[in-house]
Amino acid sequence: MLGFLKNPVVVTAEINVNLVVLTVMGLISRLWGLSYPRAVVFDEVYYGQFVSLYMKRIFFVDDSGPPFGHMLLALGGYLGGFDGNFLWNRIGAEYSMNVPVWSLRLLPALAGALCIPLAYQILVELQFSHCAALGGALLILLENSLITQSRFMLLESILIFFILLAVLSYLKFYNLQRHSSFSASWWVWLLLTGVACSCAVGVKYMGLFTYMLLLAIAGLHFWHMLGNQNLSNVSLLCHFLARGLALIIIPMAMYLSFFYVHLTLLYRSGPHDQIMTSAFQASLEGGLARITQGQPLEVAYGSQITLRNVLGKPMQCWLHSHTNTYPIRYENGRGSSHQQQVTCYPFKDVNNWWIVKDPGMQQLVVSNPPRPVRHGHIVQLVHGITTRYLNTHDVAAPLSPHSQEVSCYIDYNVSMPAQNLWRVEIVNRESDTDVWKTILSEVRFVHVNTSAVLKLSGASLPEWGYRQLEVVGEKLSKGYHQSMVWNVEEHRYGKSQEQKEREVELHSPTQMDISKNLSFMAKFTELQWKMLTLKNEDTEHKYSSSALDWITMDTNIAYWLHPTSGAQIHLLGNALTWASANVAAVVYVCLSLWYLVRRRRKIYDIPEDAWQLWVLAGEICVGGWAVNYLPFFLMEKTLFLYHYLPALTFQILLIPIVLQHLSNYLCRSLLPKTMFRALIVAWFSSVYLVYSTFSPVTYGEPSLSVAELKDLRWKDSWNILIRKQ
C-alpha cells in the first residue's frame, strides 16, 4: 500500500535564466537606496495626503482617478506601521522618524522592477526572438525616466505594470486559442486579462485607454473567428460569453469592489465632505452625521427645516434670509421690490431655518399625528426668525434680470400682493404620492402664481447683500438642473407656536429619532459622478508641458534638490532611447504602408505568418502608444512629462521588433547582417552610456559640480538646477 514511498518524489522545473536575471537586475535598479532622499519628492506631497487620510480612516475625494492606486500606496504605509501623522505641505520637507519611507515607496518600486520581465515576455509572446525580447527588456531597465518614476510614492509605475500584465495575459490567451481553447490555462490568462485591465483603470483613468485597445483587439480577433467554418454556433457563443464575462463583467465587478473597500475604510467625516450631498455626509461618522443622525424622516406641516442646494457650486450653501431688504434702486438704475433679502448662505446659521406651513391653516407646529408633505402638495415657507413668507413676483432679480427676484414678503400697503405659494416637486420620487423626506428627497419648489422655480444663480451679491449668493425664480425651467434642486438637511418637528419660544427652539440642537443610511450603490454613484465632474482650477505649473513637448523630450521635471549640495533628482528620459523609439515608430508605419500597397498589387515581400505577427505587434505597440498619447491633445488639464510614460513604454517595445524585422528581411546576406548587428551593439552601448551619464540625476547621487550639471543640459529647454555661487 505504501509502495510509492520506495521511490523519491521528483519535481522538475524549467527556469528561464533570462527572466531571473532581468528580474534581479530590475529589483536592484529600482530598490537600491530606496529611502534616499528622506524628503518629500515632487508629487509625494500630493499622494502622501491621501495615505495619511487612509491611515486615519477619513473620507476624501480625489478627481485624478479611482481609489485602487491610492489604496496600494496606503497598503505600503500600513505594512510599515505608518500612523498618518505627517504634514504633507512642502516638496523637500524632511520626513519625520514615524514615516516609513522605504515601505511607502516599496510597491511602486516593485511594480517598476516587474515591468522589465513583463516586457521580455510580451516580446516572446509576440513570437520575436529571445534576443530581441532581451534587448527590449534591457531598454526598459536602462530608461532613466521609468527608474525615477518608480522609486517614489507615485502611481505611474503601478499603472504601467498592470497595463503590461494585461497585454501579456491577453497575448498568452490568444496564443493558447489555437490549440487549447477552454483549457485551464486558457481560462487563467483570459481572466487575468480582465483583472489586470480593471486594476489598471482602478489605478488611473489612463488605464482605460489600454483596456479599450485590448477590447478592440479582442473584438477584431473574435470577428475573424466568426469566419471559421470549423467552429459550431454553440462554440462561437461560448467563446463570446467567455470573453464577455472575463473582459467586461469581471472588470466592472472589480471596479465596484475598489470603491466598496475605499468607502468601507473611509468611514469618518473629513475636509472633503462638503462637496457631497447631505445624505452622503450623514452616512459618515462625525461631521454632519452628529447633527442629522436620527432626525425625523418625513417632512410634515409645521416642520422646521434647513434647505441645502444640491448643486454645491460655487460652494455649498443653504437657503437664507435676514432682516435687510433689497435696495430701492440698484447700481444700474433698475428698481427692486424693497422686500426682505433671500440668499444662499455658505455657513450654518440660525437664519437658515424655515418652517413648512399649510396655506389653509395658521399653526406653525406639527400636529399629532404629523401630516406629511407629499409630492405635488402646496406649501408656504416661513422664515423661522423673521416669520416672513418666501415670495417671488414679476420683478427682475438683482444680478439675473431675466429671472425673478425672490424675497420674504413685507406688506408695504402698495399694489404688490403676496405671492407665497409653492408646489413641492420631488425629483427623485418613485411615485406621485411619495412623501418629502429629510436628506433623501431632492425637491424643486415651483411658484404657483408664475411657475418660476426656486434656483441658485451662483452669482455673488454686492456689499448690500453681504457677498452672499443670489437666489432667483427661474421662469424657463426646462429639465432638473441641480441648481434648482434642494434637500432638507437639518429637520425637527416644531412644537412652539409662540415666536419667542420658537426662536429658542430654532437655536437648540435637532432631535434624534430615526437613522438614515445610503446603500453602497447610491454612495458609489454619487462619488463616481463627483470624481468625473469635479473641476479643480488648473493653474500653470512651472514644470507643466504640452503633449508635443514629450515626443522629443523638450521638457523635464525637477523632482528634488538637496538643501545644501548640488544633488538633485529629475524626471529625464534616456535621450537616445526616446529618439530611437520615435525612429522605430516612423519606420514601422512607413514599412507597413509599403507592405499594404505591395500586397494590394499581389506582391508579398514577407511570408504571411510574418505579416500577421507584424500586424499584431503594431496593434499592441503602435496602438498602445497612440491610445496612451493622442488623447492628451483633447484634454484641458495641466499636463506633465510623466503622463507620457505609458505611451513611451509601448514605443520602446517597438524598437527590438523593428530591428529584428530589418535584420530578418532587409539584411538578407551575411555581410549586411554582420554590419547591422555591429551597429546594434554600438547603439546599445551608447544607450548604456547615456543611462550612466544621467544616473546621478536619476538616483540623486553622487552630488555633481556646477560644471557637471551644466554638461547635463543637453537642451536649452531642460531646467537643470544650478545654485548661485
Side-chain angles (χ1 to χ4, degrees):
M1 181 177 177
L2 300 177
F4 71 93
L5 294 177
K6 295 179 180 178
N7 298 315
V9 177
V10 178
V11 177
T12 59
E14 291 185 0
I15 298 177
N16 188 328
V17 177
N18 285 354
L19 268 180
V20 174
V21 172
L22 287 171
T23 303
V24 171
M25 293 174 67
L27 290 171
I28 293 172
S29 69
R30 269 62 174 176
L31 293 176
W32 176 79
L34 194 60
S35 296
Y36 178 84
R38 193 175 173 82
V40 179
V41 175
F42 201 62
D43 271 353
E44 285 188 336
V45 74
Y46 178 74
Y47 293 112
Q49 299 175 47
F50 302 132
V51 172
S52 287
L53 291 173
Y54 270 116
M55 296 300 103
K56 298 177 180 180
R57 304 294 189 265
I58 295 175
F59 174 76
F60 67 86
V61 179
D62 177 28
D63 64 330
S64 68
F68 183 55
H70 298 77
M71 288 193 290
L72 290 177
L73 296 180
L75 175 62
Y78 175 77
L79 295 175
F82 183 40
D83 57 9
N85 292 319
F86 183 77
L87 186 60
W88 307 88
N89 63 346
R90 180 173 60 87
I91 297 173
E94 291 290 325
Y95 283 122
S96 55
M97 294 309 297
N98 70 306
V99 181
V101 180
W102 191 86
S103 179
L104 285 169
R105 294 173 178 171
L106 176 60
L107 289 180
L110 287 176
L114 293 176
C115 287
I116 297 162
L118 285 177
Y120 174 87
Q121 290 180 285
I122 286 172
L123 291 169
V124 170
E125 291 299 321
L126 284 170
Q127 309 300 317
F128 288 90
S129 68
H130 286 272
C131 182
L134 183 62
L138 290 175
L139 288 174
I140 300 292
L141 174 71
L142 300 176
E143 175 46 47
N144 300 70
S145 60
L146 294 178
I147 295 173
T148 301
Q149 200 67 16
S150 63
R151 286 174 50 80
F152 302 108
M153 189 173 50
L154 308 171
L155 291 180
E156 277 66 32
S157 63
I158 300 174
L159 171 66
I160 294 170
F161 167 77
F162 283 118
I163 285 175
L164 294 182
L165 179 61
V167 171
L168 174 64
S169 301
Y170 181 78
L171 288 173
K172 283 187 170 290
F173 154 77
Y174 176 71
N175 290 331
L176 286 169
Q177 175 69 39
R178 303 168 189 172
H179 52 80
S180 302
S181 293
F182 299 105
S183 63
S185 56
W186 183 92
W187 274 109
V188 166
W189 291 114
L190 177 59
L191 292 172
L192 187 56
T193 303
V195 169
C197 284
S198 63
C199 290
V201 177
V203 171
K204 277 196 167 188
Y205 286 126
M206 286 173 60
L208 189 63
F209 302 147
T210 303
Y211 176 42
M212 298 306 294
L213 173 68
L214 289 178
L215 278 181
I217 293 174
L220 181 63
H221 290 166
F222 182 74
W223 178 258
H224 291 156
M225 287 179 62
L226 292 177
N228 187 348
Q229 298 298 321
N230 295 323
L231 295 174
S232 66
N233 293 338
V234 173
S235 178
L236 287 172
L237 178 62
C238 291
H239 277 286
F240 178 79
L241 293 177
R243 285 160 173 78
L245 171 67
L247 301 182
I248 297 177
I249 304 300
I250 288 180
M252 290 176 62
M254 286 197 62
Y255 186 77
L256 286 173
S257 72
F258 299 149
F259 281 87
Y260 183 84
V261 175
H262 175 74
L263 292 170
T264 302
L265 290 174
L266 306 183
Y267 58 86
R268 291 176 178 156
S269 174
H272 294 181
D273 297 3
Q274 295 182 352
I275 66 172
M276 310 305 290
T277 64
S278 302
F280 196 105
Q281 292 183 51
S283 70
L284 299 172
E285 180 182 293
L288 181 63
R290 290 182 298 181
I291 302 173
T292 61
Q293 184 179 3
Q295 293 180 138
L297 179 62
E298 296 184 346
V299 177
Y301 291 109
S303 285
Q304 298 170 357
I305 62 174
T306 63
L307 289 166
R308 181 180 187 263
N309 190 265
V310 171
L311 180 63
K313 294 179 182 178
M315 61 192 75
Q316 65 165 357
C317 62
W318 292 264
L319 190 66
H320 175 95
S321 187
H322 40 240
T323 55
N324 300 70
T325 59
Y326 290 108
I328 296 176
R329 290 202 175 275
Y330 300 122
E331 291 83 350
N332 59 9
R334 288 192 297 110
S336 79
S337 66
H338 199 44
Q339 299 283 328
Q340 182 172 302
Q341 295 175 19
V342 171
T343 65
C344 205
Y345 189 52
F347 301 100
K348 301 283 189 181
D349 188 87
V350 69
N351 280 314
N352 297 345
W353 284 91
W354 300 80
I355 302 170
V356 181
K357 180 181 174 297
D358 184 345
M361 303 180 69
Q362 291 302 313
Q363 68 181 35
L364 295 177
V365 296
V366 175
S367 60
N368 189 15
R371 293 185 299 123
V373 180
R374 298 181 183 275
H375 170 75
H377 280 193
I378 306 298
V379 301
Q380 292 171 312
L381 293 176
V382 183
H383 188 240
I385 295 297
T386 64
T387 67
R388 292 192 171 120
Y389 289 55
L390 186 70
N391 184 85
T392 188
H393 34 228
D394 193 15
V395 174
L399 302 180
S400 306
H402 296 293
S403 301
Q404 291 180 183
E405 175 193 271
V406 174
S407 62
C408 279
Y409 183 74
I410 303 174
D411 188 359
Y412 289 122
N413 291 319
V414 295
S415 56
M416 184 180 287
Q419 297 180 0
N420 52 32
L421 299 179
W422 300 85
R423 184 171 66 255
V424 175
E425 291 188 354
I426 302 175
V427 176
N428 59 342
R429 65 186 181 276
E430 295 180 359
S431 71
D432 288 343
T433 59
D434 270 14
V435 173
W436 184 8
K437 294 174 183 172
T438 306
I439 292 179
L440 302 178
S441 294
E442 297 182 347
V443 302
R444 296 199 318 168
F445 296 100
V446 181
H447 192 237
V448 172
N449 298 80
T450 64
S451 297
V453 179
L454 190 68
K455 175 186 176 181
L456 170 67
S457 76
S460 294
L461 294 169
E463 290 294 339
W464 54 257
Y466 304 102
R467 301 294 179 186
Q468 296 174 18
L469 301 179
E470 180 190 44
V471 173
V472 301
E474 183 65 47
K475 297 177 182 178
L476 302 174
S477 54
K478 296 180 179 179
Y480 296 116
H481 190 269
Q482 286 187 319
S483 61
M484 302 178 185
V485 181
W486 307 79
N487 70 268
V488 173
E489 189 168 271
E490 296 180 65
H491 177 210
R492 65 164 68 86
Y493 282 163
K495 300 175 181 177
S496 304
Q497 185 68 30
E498 294 298 324
Q499 176 62 14
K500 288 188 176 181
E501 294 178 3
R502 191 184 309 121
E503 286 187 19
V504 173
E505 192 174 56
L506 290 171
H507 281 89
S508 65
T510 52
Q511 300 298 313
M512 305 294 181
D513 295 324
I514 304 170
S515 63
K516 293 165 284 295
N517 290 307
L518 279 182
S519 67
F520 161 69
M521 285 306 298
K523 294 175 73 173
F524 163 75
T525 303
E526 179 178 340
L527 178 57
Q528 180 67 90
W529 179 250
K530 290 291 184 183
M531 291 171 63
L532 294 175
T533 58
L534 186 64
K535 296 292 183 183
N536 288 329
E537 292 186 7
D538 288 328
T539 56
E540 192 66 25
H541 192 281
K542 181 180 180 180
Y543 293 106
S544 63
S545 55
S546 70
L548 281 175
D549 296 329
W550 303 341
I551 298 181
T552 52
M553 202 169 61
D554 287 335
T555 183
N556 71 303
I557 304 176
Y559 271 10
W560 172 79
L561 175 66
H562 193 278
T564 57
S565 72
Q568 52 194 276
I569 295 175
H570 289 260
L571 183 66
L572 261 178
N574 188 310
L576 183 55
T577 302
W578 285 50
S580 303
N582 291 331
V583 171
V586 172
V587 170
Y588 180 90
V589 171
C590 292
L591 276 176
S592 298
L593 291 173
W594 171 256
Y595 289 150
L596 284 171
V597 171
R598 300 267 291 174
R599 288 171 70 85
R600 189 67 176 169
R601 301 292 298 169
K602 306 300 182 184
I603 302 172
Y604 302 98
D605 298 288
I606 58 176
E608 185 62 24
D609 59 342
W611 167 251
Q612 294 300 329
L613 292 176
W614 179 255
V615 170
L616 180 60
E619 290 173 351
I620 296 294
C621 297
V622 178
W625 171 82
V627 299
N628 283 285
Y629 174 58
L630 298 180
F632 286 103
F633 286 96
L634 305 176
M635 294 184 185
E636 296 181 359
K637 60 179 288 186
T638 304
L639 301 176
F640 296 93
L641 183 62
Y642 56 71
H643 286 125
Y644 186 60
L645 296 183
L648 173 71
T649 303
F650 281 103
Q651 204 177 25
I652 290 176
L653 294 180
L654 194 61
I655 297 175
I657 291 172
V658 171
L659 289 177
Q660 179 175 328
H661 186 83
L662 294 176
S663 176
N664 290 348
Y665 298 106
L666 270 70
C667 303
R668 299 184 181 276
S669 61
L670 181 60
L671 181 60
K673 276 184 180 292
T674 304
M675 293 179 62
F676 188 73
R677 288 169 182 169
L679 286 173
I680 291 176
V681 172
W683 165 79
F684 212 98
S685 301
S686 300
V687 169
Y688 177 78
L689 181 61
V690 174
Y691 156 77
S692 179
T693 301
F694 283 91
S695 62
V697 293
T698 298
Y699 292 95
E701 53 185 0
S703 177
L704 300 180
S705 66
V706 172
E708 290 171 322
L709 289 171
K710 288 182 178 179
D711 289 340
L712 291 182
R713 189 177 286 169
W714 288 12
K715 291 190 175 185
D716 293 336
S717 57
W718 290 0
N719 188 12
I720 305 296
L721 304 177
I722 299 176
R723 293 184 183 276
K724 293 181 180 180
Q725 300 297 319

